[in-house]
């Protein structure tokens, strides 16, 4: 009850720019979930390699955590990048995780995305420059501030980091999101410039991220062999011509089947695609909110 009252008070006092950032983050999560066909991931076709997730659950989860994105934006407005801000964001993030688990019946749908998008929202809210690289730099500065010591259970990410040396979402954030700034966004822009439709452009960006990222979700379940399968398969799609071409679509279907058979889901790549879509829409205020819960950007070509 107290949490609900606090969230309501924040929503009533927050400015339009904070609401916009929170709404844009939710839309990025929904747009990522709805993007089809994604290998191994939840999309409009079904649950992918998951047994405990669905598109409806993903959309419900995104809606449940939007108020906490709003809280993060309001807490970060013109704030100093220091330990107090880092602690405030961490506390809000834990509340967001609780709301997510309540909405999904205990399934982890967006835990990594809460961390990633929360930092990017803070980066955008705490300064006036919304250029993607600048937002990522500020977000990285926040991520690198040591968190307060807390007794925590060992996470899947901790196990993967020790065993395989993968940095995971935390390392990606501390490095200022290289798979978003240097890979996802350029791939998305390049695909659009080649005249590809928006869905194909987003799939192309996702595959570029998959081909490079040490996805901790895949490493945890499939080890280095599973990661090699994902990265090799994503490169094969791109080298065949990419999604939207007959050879590329055939390679994409082959990768999808292989991930399904191994029950591997590249959730880390999906979270970074959502971050890519968020920063893309935010860039120079080009993104607008549409009623269909997708991010409205100029598109070329047809499906």
């Amino acid at each position: 009850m107290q949490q609900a009252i606090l969230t309501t008070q924040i929503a009533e006092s927050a400015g339009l720019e904070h609401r916009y950032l929170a709404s844009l983050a939710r839309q990025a999560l929904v747009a990522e979930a709805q993007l089809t066909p994604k290998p191994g991931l939840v999309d409009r076709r079904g649950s992918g390699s998951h047994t405990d997730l669905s598109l409806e659950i993903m959309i419900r989860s995104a809606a449940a955590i939007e108020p906490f994105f709003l809280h993060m934006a309001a807490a970060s407005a013109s704030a100093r990048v220091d330990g107090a801000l880092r602690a405030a964001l961490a506390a809000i993030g834990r509340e967001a995780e609780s709301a997510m688990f309540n909405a999904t019946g205990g399934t982890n749908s967006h835990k990594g995305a809460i961390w990633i998008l929360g930092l990017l929202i803070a980066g955008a809210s705490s300064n006036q420059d919304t250029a993607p690289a600048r937002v990522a730099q500020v977000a990285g500065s926040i991520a690198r501030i040591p968190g307060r010591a807390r007794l925590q259970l060992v996470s899947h990410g901790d196990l993967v980091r020790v065993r395989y040396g993968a940095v995971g979402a935390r390392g990606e954030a501390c490095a200022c999101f290289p798979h978003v700034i240097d890979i996802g966004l350029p791939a998305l822009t390049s695909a659009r410039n080649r005249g590809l439709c928006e869905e194909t452009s987003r799939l192309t960006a996702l595959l570029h991220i998959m081909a490079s990222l040490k996805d901790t979700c895949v490493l945890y379940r499939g080890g280095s062999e599973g990661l090699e399968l994902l990265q090799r398969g994503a490169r094969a799609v791109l080298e065949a011509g990419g999604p939207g071409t007959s050879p590329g679509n055939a390679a994409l279907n082959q990768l999808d089947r292989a991930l399904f058979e191994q029950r591997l889901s590249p959730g880390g790549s999906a979270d970074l695609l959502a971050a890519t879509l968020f920063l893309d829409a935010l860039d120079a205020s080009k993104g607008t909110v549409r009623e269909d819960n997708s991010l409205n950007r100029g598109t070329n070509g047809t499906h």
Side-chain angles (χ1 to χ4, degrees):
M1 178 64 72
Q2 185 177 3
Q3 177 176 300
I5 293 173
L6 177 60
T7 301
T8 300
Q9 291 173 341
I10 292 168
E12 290 174 348
S13 62
L16 289 176
E17 66 275 17
H18 306 140
R19 298 173 187 273
Y20 177 70
L21 289 172
S23 176
L24 213 58
R26 174 187 56 78
Q27 289 179 80
L29 292 176
V30 172
E32 181 280 314
Q34 292 180 333
L35 183 63
T36 304
K38 297 194 302 294
L41 292 161
V42 172
D43 60 20
R44 286 190 173 98
R45 300 169 303 165
S47 298
S49 298
H50 294 276
T51 58
D52 55 356
L53 286 175
S54 66
L55 182 57
E56 189 273 334
I57 290 175
M58 299 291 284
I59 293 174
R60 189 166 71 233
S61 171
I65 60 183
E66 181 179 6
F68 301 94
F69 286 149
L70 175 61
H71 192 169
M72 290 176 181
S76 305
S78 302
R80 293 180 56 186
V81 176
D82 57 17
L85 175 59
R86 172 70 170 77
L89 293 173
I92 300 167
R94 290 189 290 271
E95 293 177 353
E97 288 180 13
S98 178
M100 174 197 73
F101 284 124
N102 286 337
T104 64
T107 299
N108 176 12
S109 51
H110 286 126
K111 187 173 181 178
I114 291 170
W115 163 258
I116 290 170
L117 286 174
L119 286 169
L120 292 174
I121 286 170
S125 183
S126 62
N127 76 101
Q128 298 300 314
D129 189 348
T130 58
R134 178 55 182 161
V135 173
Q137 287 171 357
V138 177
S141 297
I142 299 170
R144 290 191 295 272
I145 297 172
R148 294 175 180 172
R150 290 175 57 87
L151 180 61
Q152 294 180 331
L153 297 176
V154 176
S155 68
H156 292 173
D158 294 329
L159 295 173
V160 168
R161 183 168 57 254
V162 171
R163 183 173 298 177
Y164 302 105
V167 299
R170 187 169 300 279
E172 180 76 16
C174 290
C176 302
F177 299 96
H179 282 85
V180 175
I181 300 300
D182 299 330
I183 296 177
L185 284 168
L188 182 64
T189 300
S190 175
R192 287 172 177 157
N193 291 341
R194 298 200 310 271
L196 301 181
C197 72
E198 187 63 14
E199 182 173 60
T200 303
S201 296
R202 293 175 180 182
L203 282 170
T204 301
L206 175 62
L207 287 161
H208 275 278
I209 294 171
M210 288 178 172
S212 174
L213 182 71
K214 289 185 177 180
D215 195 307
T216 55
C217 295
V218 172
L219 278 170
Y220 178 73
R221 294 192 178 277
S224 55
E225 296 84 1
L227 180 64
E228 173 60 22
L229 185 155
L230 171 67
Q231 294 183 333
R232 184 177 65 246
R235 288 194 296 268
V237 177
L238 296 170
E239 291 168 359
T245 68
S246 294
N249 288 341
L252 183 61
N253 289 334
Q254 183 176 354
L255 175 59
D256 192 27
R257 288 195 299 270
L259 293 178
F260 179 80
E261 290 172 359
Q262 298 294 323
R263 290 296 177 187
L264 300 176
S265 180
S269 301
D271 289 342
L272 292 177
L273 176 64
T276 297
L277 297 178
F278 173 78
L279 287 180
D280 172 68
L282 181 64
D283 186 19
S285 300
K286 294 176 183 177
T288 57
V289 180
R290 287 201 320 203
E291 291 301 319
D292 61 356
N293 289 326
S294 63
L295 304 181
N296 184 18
R297 290 298 305 262
T299 61
N300 299 307
T302 58
H303 290 283

